[in-house]
mmCIF file of all heavy atoms in Angstrom:
data_model
loop_
_atom_site.group_PDB
_atom_site.id
_atom_site.type_symbol
_atom_site.label_atom_id
_atom_site.label_comp_id
_atom_site.label_asym_id
_atom_site.label_seq_id
_atom_site.Cartn_x
_atom_site.Cartn_y
_atom_site.Cartn_z
ATOM 1 N N SER A 1 84.490 95.973 111.501
ATOM 2 C CA SER A 1 83.232 96.564 111.044
ATOM 3 C C SER A 1 83.250 96.726 109.530
ATOM 4 O O SER A 1 84.292 96.596 108.876
ATOM 5 C CB SER A 1 83.032 97.928 111.700
ATOM 6 O OG SER A 1 84.016 98.844 111.238
ATOM 7 N N SER A 2 82.096 97.030 108.965
ATOM 8 C CA SER A 2 82.008 97.236 107.517
ATOM 9 C C SER A 2 82.862 98.423 107.082
ATOM 10 O O SER A 2 83.429 98.427 105.979
ATOM 11 C CB SER A 2 80.548 97.451 107.107
ATOM 12 O OG SER A 2 79.989 98.556 107.796
ATOM 13 N N ASP A 3 82.953 99.459 107.944
ATOM 14 C CA ASP A 3 83.787 100.625 107.620
ATOM 15 C C ASP A 3 85.253 100.229 107.499
ATOM 16 O O ASP A 3 85.960 100.697 106.602
ATOM 17 C CB ASP A 3 83.626 101.701 108.693
ATOM 18 C CG ASP A 3 82.276 102.386 108.633
ATOM 19 O OD1 ASP A 3 81.655 102.390 107.556
ATOM 20 O OD2 ASP A 3 81.831 102.906 109.677
ATOM 21 N N VAL A 4 85.716 99.374 108.400
ATOM 22 C CA VAL A 4 87.114 98.944 108.373
ATOM 23 C C VAL A 4 87.374 98.062 107.153
ATOM 24 O O VAL A 4 88.396 98.202 106.466
ATOM 25 C CB VAL A 4 87.478 98.197 109.672
ATOM 26 C CG1 VAL A 4 88.900 97.655 109.613
ATOM 27 C CG2 VAL A 4 87.323 99.120 110.881
ATOM 28 N N LYS A 5 86.439 97.165 106.857
ATOM 29 C CA LYS A 5 86.592 96.303 105.678
ATOM 30 C C LYS A 5 86.634 97.140 104.397
ATOM 31 O O LYS A 5 87.360 96.814 103.451
ATOM 32 C CB LYS A 5 85.442 95.299 105.616
ATOM 33 C CG LYS A 5 85.502 94.227 106.702
ATOM 34 C CD LYS A 5 84.305 93.281 106.598
ATOM 35 C CE LYS A 5 84.349 92.206 107.687
ATOM 36 N NZ LYS A 5 83.164 91.318 107.643
ATOM 37 N N GLU A 6 85.842 98.217 104.382
ATOM 38 C CA GLU A 6 85.843 99.106 103.213
ATOM 39 C C GLU A 6 87.223 99.709 102.996
ATOM 40 O O GLU A 6 87.686 99.849 101.857
ATOM 41 C CB GLU A 6 84.810 100.218 103.412
ATOM 42 C CG GLU A 6 84.759 101.234 102.280
ATOM 43 C CD GLU A 6 83.907 102.440 102.599
ATOM 44 O OE1 GLU A 6 83.213 102.424 103.629
ATOM 45 O OE2 GLU A 6 83.958 103.409 101.821
ATOM 46 N N ILE A 7 87.896 100.061 104.086
ATOM 47 C CA ILE A 7 89.241 100.631 103.983
ATOM 48 C C ILE A 7 90.225 99.599 103.453
ATOM 49 O O ILE A 7 91.058 99.890 102.592
ATOM 50 C CB ILE A 7 89.688 101.179 105.353
ATOM 51 C CG1 ILE A 7 88.846 102.405 105.717
ATOM 52 C CG2 ILE A 7 91.179 101.533 105.352
ATOM 53 C CD1 ILE A 7 89.093 102.943 107.098
ATOM 54 N N PHE A 8 90.148 98.366 103.950
ATOM 55 C CA PHE A 8 91.048 97.313 103.480
ATOM 56 C C PHE A 8 90.869 97.040 101.986
ATOM 57 O O PHE A 8 91.817 96.674 101.298
ATOM 58 C CB PHE A 8 90.815 96.018 104.260
ATOM 59 C CG PHE A 8 91.285 96.075 105.699
ATOM 60 C CD1 PHE A 8 90.766 95.192 106.650
ATOM 61 C CD2 PHE A 8 92.224 96.992 106.103
ATOM 62 C CE1 PHE A 8 91.196 95.237 107.970
ATOM 63 C CE2 PHE A 8 92.659 97.058 107.425
ATOM 64 C CZ PHE A 8 92.143 96.174 108.361
ATOM 65 N N LYS A 9 89.628 97.223 101.490
ATOM 66 C CA LYS A 9 89.342 96.933 100.078
ATOM 67 C C LYS A 9 89.556 98.142 99.173
ATOM 68 O O LYS A 9 89.502 98.008 97.941
ATOM 69 C CB LYS A 9 87.897 96.451 99.940
ATOM 70 C CG LYS A 9 87.622 95.110 100.607
ATOM 71 C CD LYS A 9 86.143 94.741 100.499
ATOM 72 C CE LYS A 9 85.837 93.426 101.207
ATOM 73 N NZ LYS A 9 84.385 93.111 101.156
ATOM 74 N N ALA A 10 89.768 99.317 99.762
ATOM 75 C CA ALA A 10 89.918 100.533 98.966
ATOM 76 C C ALA A 10 91.119 100.422 98.030
ATOM 77 O O ALA A 10 92.152 99.842 98.373
ATOM 78 C CB ALA A 10 90.080 101.746 99.881
ATOM 79 N N THR A 11 90.995 101.016 96.854
ATOM 80 C CA THR A 11 92.081 100.983 95.874
ATOM 81 C C THR A 11 93.351 101.582 96.444
ATOM 82 O O THR A 11 94.460 101.068 96.220
ATOM 83 C CB THR A 11 91.665 101.760 94.603
ATOM 84 O OG1 THR A 11 90.451 101.216 94.102
ATOM 85 C CG2 THR A 11 92.740 101.676 93.543
ATOM 86 N N GLU A 12 93.215 102.670 97.207
ATOM 87 C CA GLU A 12 94.391 103.324 97.786
ATOM 88 C C GLU A 12 95.136 102.405 98.740
ATOM 89 O O GLU A 12 96.349 102.516 98.911
ATOM 90 C CB GLU A 12 93.979 104.599 98.527
ATOM 91 C CG GLU A 12 93.352 105.663 97.643
ATOM 92 C CD GLU A 12 91.833 105.583 97.620
ATOM 93 O OE1 GLU A 12 91.282 104.480 97.826
ATOM 94 O OE2 GLU A 12 91.193 106.623 97.418
ATOM 95 N N CYS A 13 94.393 101.497 99.390
ATOM 96 C CA CYS A 13 95.014 100.569 100.344
ATOM 97 C C CYS A 13 95.651 99.384 99.623
ATOM 98 O O CYS A 13 96.762 98.973 99.935
ATOM 99 C CB CYS A 13 93.970 100.071 101.342
ATOM 100 S SG CYS A 13 94.609 98.995 102.627
ATOM 101 N N VAL A 14 94.949 98.856 98.646
ATOM 102 C CA VAL A 14 95.443 97.674 97.917
ATOM 103 C C VAL A 14 96.668 98.015 97.083
ATOM 104 O O VAL A 14 97.625 97.229 97.004
ATOM 105 C CB VAL A 14 94.324 97.100 97.024
ATOM 106 C CG1 VAL A 14 94.858 95.937 96.191
ATOM 107 C CG2 VAL A 14 93.144 96.650 97.875
ATOM 108 N N LEU A 15 96.648 99.207 96.469
ATOM 109 C CA LEU A 15 97.727 99.591 95.548
ATOM 110 C C LEU A 15 98.632 100.654 96.162
ATOM 111 O O LEU A 15 98.843 101.726 95.580
ATOM 112 C CB LEU A 15 97.127 100.101 94.233
ATOM 113 C CG LEU A 15 96.218 99.127 93.473
ATOM 114 C CD1 LEU A 15 95.650 99.785 92.236
ATOM 115 C CD2 LEU A 15 96.983 97.853 93.105
ATOM 116 N N VAL A 16 99.168 100.390 97.352
ATOM 117 C CA VAL A 16 100.086 101.354 97.965
ATOM 118 C C VAL A 16 101.348 101.451 97.129
ATOM 119 O O VAL A 16 101.818 100.462 96.546
ATOM 120 C CB VAL A 16 100.430 100.974 99.421
ATOM 121 C CG1 VAL A 16 99.225 101.086 100.308
ATOM 122 C CG2 VAL A 16 101.045 99.589 99.500
ATOM 123 N N GLY A 17 101.909 102.646 97.087
ATOM 124 C CA GLY A 17 103.109 102.854 96.290
ATOM 125 C C GLY A 17 104.058 103.814 96.964
ATOM 126 O O GLY A 17 103.903 104.168 98.141
ATOM 127 N N GLU A 18 105.018 104.282 96.203
ATOM 128 C CA GLU A 18 106.073 105.137 96.733
ATOM 129 C C GLU A 18 105.536 106.433 97.317
ATOM 130 O O GLU A 18 106.026 106.930 98.324
ATOM 131 C CB GLU A 18 107.074 105.444 95.616
ATOM 132 C CG GLU A 18 108.249 106.310 96.056
ATOM 133 C CD GLU A 18 109.187 106.630 94.914
ATOM 134 O OE1 GLU A 18 108.945 106.137 93.787
ATOM 135 O OE2 GLU A 18 110.152 107.375 95.147
ATOM 136 N N LYS A 19 104.485 106.987 96.694
ATOM 137 C CA LYS A 19 103.974 108.292 97.117
ATOM 138 C C LYS A 19 102.676 108.195 97.919
ATOM 139 O O LYS A 19 102.048 109.210 98.192
ATOM 140 C CB LYS A 19 103.766 109.174 95.892
ATOM 141 C CG LYS A 19 105.063 109.483 95.147
ATOM 142 C CD LYS A 19 104.824 110.422 93.981
ATOM 143 C CE LYS A 19 106.115 110.743 93.256
ATOM 144 N NZ LYS A 19 105.900 111.662 92.109
ATOM 145 N N SER A 20 102.287 106.994 98.306
ATOM 146 C CA SER A 20 101.055 106.838 99.085
ATOM 147 C C SER A 20 101.210 107.466 100.468
ATOM 148 O O SER A 20 102.274 107.352 101.087
ATOM 149 C CB SER A 20 100.713 105.355 99.254
ATOM 150 O OG SER A 20 100.434 104.754 98.019
ATOM 151 N N PRO A 21 100.174 108.140 100.975
ATOM 152 C CA PRO A 21 100.235 108.641 102.356
ATOM 153 C C PRO A 21 100.445 107.499 103.342
ATOM 154 O O PRO A 21 100.065 106.350 103.084
ATOM 155 C CB PRO A 21 98.857 109.288 102.547
ATOM 156 C CG PRO A 21 98.374 109.604 101.168
ATOM 157 C CD PRO A 21 98.924 108.518 100.293
ATOM 158 N N SER A 22 101.055 107.822 104.470
ATOM 159 C CA SER A 22 101.368 106.796 105.478
ATOM 160 C C SER A 22 100.123 106.042 105.924
ATOM 161 O O SER A 22 100.195 104.852 106.248
ATOM 162 C CB SER A 22 102.050 107.441 106.688
ATOM 163 O OG SER A 22 103.309 107.949 106.341
ATOM 164 N N PHE A 23 98.974 106.735 105.951
ATOM 165 C CA PHE A 23 97.743 106.081 106.391
ATOM 166 C C PHE A 23 97.495 104.804 105.603
ATOM 167 O O PHE A 23 97.164 103.761 106.169
ATOM 168 C CB PHE A 23 96.550 107.024 106.238
ATOM 169 C CG PHE A 23 95.216 106.367 106.492
ATOM 170 C CD1 PHE A 23 94.696 106.325 107.776
ATOM 171 C CD2 PHE A 23 94.503 105.760 105.470
ATOM 172 C CE1 PHE A 23 93.472 105.700 108.026
ATOM 173 C CE2 PHE A 23 93.283 105.141 105.702
ATOM 174 C CZ PHE A 23 92.780 105.111 106.987
ATOM 175 N N TRP A 24 97.648 104.883 104.276
ATOM 176 C CA TRP A 24 97.326 103.728 103.442
ATOM 177 C C TRP A 24 98.358 102.615 103.584
ATOM 178 O O TRP A 24 98.020 101.431 103.490
ATOM 179 C CB TRP A 24 97.180 104.155 101.989
ATOM 180 C CG TRP A 24 95.989 105.042 101.782
ATOM 181 C CD1 TRP A 24 95.994 106.361 101.439
ATOM 182 C CD2 TRP A 24 94.613 104.670 101.935
ATOM 183 N NE1 TRP A 24 94.709 106.840 101.356
ATOM 184 C CE2 TRP A 24 93.836 105.830 101.650
ATOM 185 C CE3 TRP A 24 93.962 103.484 102.272
ATOM 186 C CZ2 TRP A 24 92.455 105.816 101.711
ATOM 187 C CZ3 TRP A 24 92.579 103.479 102.326
ATOM 188 C CH2 TRP A 24 91.840 104.633 102.043
ATOM 189 N N VAL A 25 99.603 102.989 103.828
ATOM 190 C CA VAL A 25 100.631 101.971 104.053
ATOM 191 C C VAL A 25 100.331 101.208 105.345
ATOM 192 O O VAL A 25 100.388 99.972 105.390
ATOM 193 C CB VAL A 25 102.031 102.615 104.119
ATOM 194 C CG1 VAL A 25 103.102 101.555 104.384
ATOM 195 C CG2 VAL A 25 102.343 103.368 102.833
ATOM 196 N N ILE A 26 99.986 101.948 106.402
ATOM 197 C CA ILE A 26 99.669 101.303 107.682
ATOM 198 C C ILE A 26 98.397 100.468 107.543
ATOM 199 O O ILE A 26 98.303 99.356 108.084
ATOM 200 C CB ILE A 26 99.524 102.357 108.797
ATOM 201 C CG1 ILE A 26 100.811 103.170 108.943
ATOM 202 C CG2 ILE A 26 99.184 101.688 110.124
ATOM 203 C CD1 ILE A 26 100.693 104.359 109.878
ATOM 204 N N ALA A 27 97.395 101.002 106.836
ATOM 205 C CA ALA A 27 96.149 100.249 106.637
ATOM 206 C C ALA A 27 96.431 98.939 105.907
ATOM 207 O O ALA A 27 95.876 97.884 106.260
ATOM 208 C CB ALA A 27 95.156 101.096 105.845
ATOM 209 N N ASN A 28 97.287 98.973 104.898
ATOM 210 C CA ASN A 28 97.651 97.757 104.175
ATOM 211 C C ASN A 28 98.350 96.773 105.108
ATOM 212 O O ASN A 28 98.071 95.563 105.078
ATOM 213 C CB ASN A 28 98.560 98.110 102.987
ATOM 214 C CG ASN A 28 98.819 96.923 102.076
ATOM 215 O OD1 ASN A 28 99.319 95.891 102.505
ATOM 216 N ND2 ASN A 28 98.503 97.089 100.804
ATOM 217 N N ALA A 29 99.239 97.288 105.963
ATOM 218 C CA ALA A 29 99.969 96.419 106.894
ATOM 219 C C ALA A 29 99.027 95.757 107.893
ATOM 220 O O ALA A 29 99.174 94.570 108.213
ATOM 221 C CB ALA A 29 101.029 97.241 107.633
ATOM 222 N N ILE A 30 98.033 96.504 108.380
ATOM 223 C CA ILE A 30 97.062 95.927 109.311
ATOM 224 C C ILE A 30 96.151 94.950 108.570
ATOM 225 O O ILE A 30 95.728 93.930 109.127
ATOM 226 C CB ILE A 30 96.260 97.040 110.009
ATOM 227 C CG1 ILE A 30 97.173 97.808 110.962
ATOM 228 C CG2 ILE A 30 95.062 96.476 110.758
ATOM 229 C CD1 ILE A 30 96.515 98.885 111.764
ATOM 230 N N GLY A 31 95.868 95.237 107.302
ATOM 231 C CA GLY A 31 95.110 94.292 106.493
ATOM 232 C C GLY A 31 95.853 92.966 106.342
ATOM 233 O O GLY A 31 95.243 91.888 106.391
ATOM 234 N N MET A 32 97.177 93.033 106.193
ATOM 235 C CA MET A 32 97.994 91.820 106.134
ATOM 236 C C MET A 32 97.900 91.054 107.449
ATOM 237 O O MET A 32 97.791 89.817 107.461
ATOM 238 C CB MET A 32 99.451 92.184 105.832
ATOM 239 C CG MET A 32 99.678 92.761 104.435
ATOM 240 S SD MET A 32 101.297 93.571 104.250
ATOM 241 C CE MET A 32 102.406 92.216 104.591
ATOM 242 N N PHE A 33 97.933 91.793 108.554
ATOM 243 C CA PHE A 33 97.815 91.179 109.877
ATOM 244 C C PHE A 33 96.472 90.463 110.005
ATOM 245 O O PHE A 33 96.396 89.324 110.471
ATOM 246 C CB PHE A 33 97.962 92.261 110.948
ATOM 247 C CG PHE A 33 97.903 91.756 112.371
ATOM 248 C CD1 PHE A 33 99.057 91.493 113.075
ATOM 249 C CD2 PHE A 33 96.681 91.530 112.998
ATOM 250 C CE1 PHE A 33 99.019 91.031 114.394
ATOM 251 C CE2 PHE A 33 96.614 91.060 114.304
ATOM 252 C CZ PHE A 33 97.801 90.813 114.997
ATOM 253 N N HIS A 34 95.403 91.142 109.581
ATOM 254 C CA HIS A 34 94.064 90.558 109.678
ATOM 255 C C HIS A 34 93.926 89.325 108.789
ATOM 256 O O HIS A 34 93.309 88.325 109.176
ATOM 257 C CB HIS A 34 93.014 91.599 109.307
ATOM 258 C CG HIS A 34 91.618 91.066 109.287
ATOM 259 N ND1 HIS A 34 90.979 90.687 108.117
ATOM 260 C CD2 HIS A 34 90.737 90.806 110.292
ATOM 261 C CE1 HIS A 34 89.776 90.246 108.400
ATOM 262 N NE2 HIS A 34 89.592 90.313 109.708
ATOM 263 N N GLN A 35 94.489 89.405 107.590
ATOM 264 C CA GLN A 35 94.410 88.266 106.680
ATOM 265 C C GLN A 35 95.126 87.045 107.263
ATOM 266 O O GLN A 35 94.689 85.911 107.076
ATOM 267 C CB GLN A 35 95.029 88.647 105.336
ATOM 268 C CG GLN A 35 94.782 87.631 104.233
ATOM 269 C CD GLN A 35 95.246 88.141 102.888
ATOM 270 O OE1 GLN A 35 95.995 89.109 102.790
ATOM 271 N NE2 GLN A 35 94.800 87.496 101.829
ATOM 272 N N LYS A 36 96.205 87.262 107.989
ATOM 273 C CA LYS A 36 96.986 86.170 108.565
ATOM 274 C C LYS A 36 96.324 85.582 109.803
ATOM 275 O O LYS A 36 96.264 84.357 109.976
ATOM 276 C CB LYS A 36 98.396 86.665 108.906
ATOM 277 C CG LYS A 36 99.287 85.609 109.543
ATOM 278 C CD LYS A 36 100.667 86.185 109.833
ATOM 279 C CE LYS A 36 101.564 85.158 110.527
ATOM 280 N NZ LYS A 36 102.906 85.738 110.825
ATOM 281 N N HIS A 37 95.796 86.449 110.678
ATOM 282 C CA HIS A 37 95.303 85.999 111.975
ATOM 283 C C HIS A 37 93.778 85.974 112.086
ATOM 284 O O HIS A 37 93.243 85.384 113.032
ATOM 285 C CB HIS A 37 95.865 86.885 113.093
ATOM 286 C CG HIS A 37 97.364 86.898 113.160
ATOM 287 N ND1 HIS A 37 98.100 85.846 113.649
ATOM 288 C CD2 HIS A 37 98.260 87.853 112.785
ATOM 289 C CE1 HIS A 37 99.393 86.145 113.594
ATOM 290 N NE2 HIS A 37 99.514 87.354 113.062
ATOM 291 N N GLY A 38 93.093 86.640 111.168
ATOM 292 C CA GLY A 38 91.635 86.680 111.237
ATOM 293 C C GLY A 38 91.091 87.662 112.253
ATOM 294 O O GLY A 38 89.881 87.720 112.480
ATOM 295 N N VAL A 39 91.963 88.431 112.881
ATOM 296 C CA VAL A 39 91.562 89.435 113.871
ATOM 297 C C VAL A 39 92.410 90.685 113.676
ATOM 298 O O VAL A 39 93.455 90.646 113.019
ATOM 299 C CB VAL A 39 91.728 88.916 115.321
ATOM 300 C CG1 VAL A 39 90.744 87.816 115.632
ATOM 301 C CG2 VAL A 39 93.159 88.462 115.576
ATOM 302 N N LEU A 40 91.977 91.783 114.266
ATOM 303 C CA LEU A 40 92.761 93.009 114.275
ATOM 304 C C LEU A 40 93.730 92.986 115.456
ATOM 305 O O LEU A 40 93.582 92.170 116.371
ATOM 306 C CB LEU A 40 91.827 94.215 114.388
ATOM 307 C CG LEU A 40 90.857 94.436 113.222
ATOM 308 C CD1 LEU A 40 89.871 95.546 113.569
ATOM 309 C CD2 LEU A 40 91.611 94.764 111.946
#
């Protein structure tokens, strides 16, 4: 959905770092999955 795509594009998701909350790390990882397979 557009809401999910917004999360994948969010700065917090794209630029995860040492102190990022776990939510953004997991969101980035699922974004990697989606980019590879085209699905969630």
Side-chain angles (χ1 to χ4, degrees):
S1 67
S2 58
D3 288 336
V4 176
K5 290 179 180 177
E6 178 190 351
I7 292 174
F8 289 158
K9 294 176 182 177
T11 304
E12 297 94 333
C13 183
V14 176
L15 302 177
V16 293
E18 181 182 358
K19 296 183 179 180
S20 296
S22 294
F23 172 88
W24 293 113
V25 179
I26 301 172
N28 188 302
I30 291 183
M32 293 165 60
F33 182 97
H34 176 261
Q35 190 172 16
K36 179 179 178 181
H37 301 286
V39 292
L40 296 172

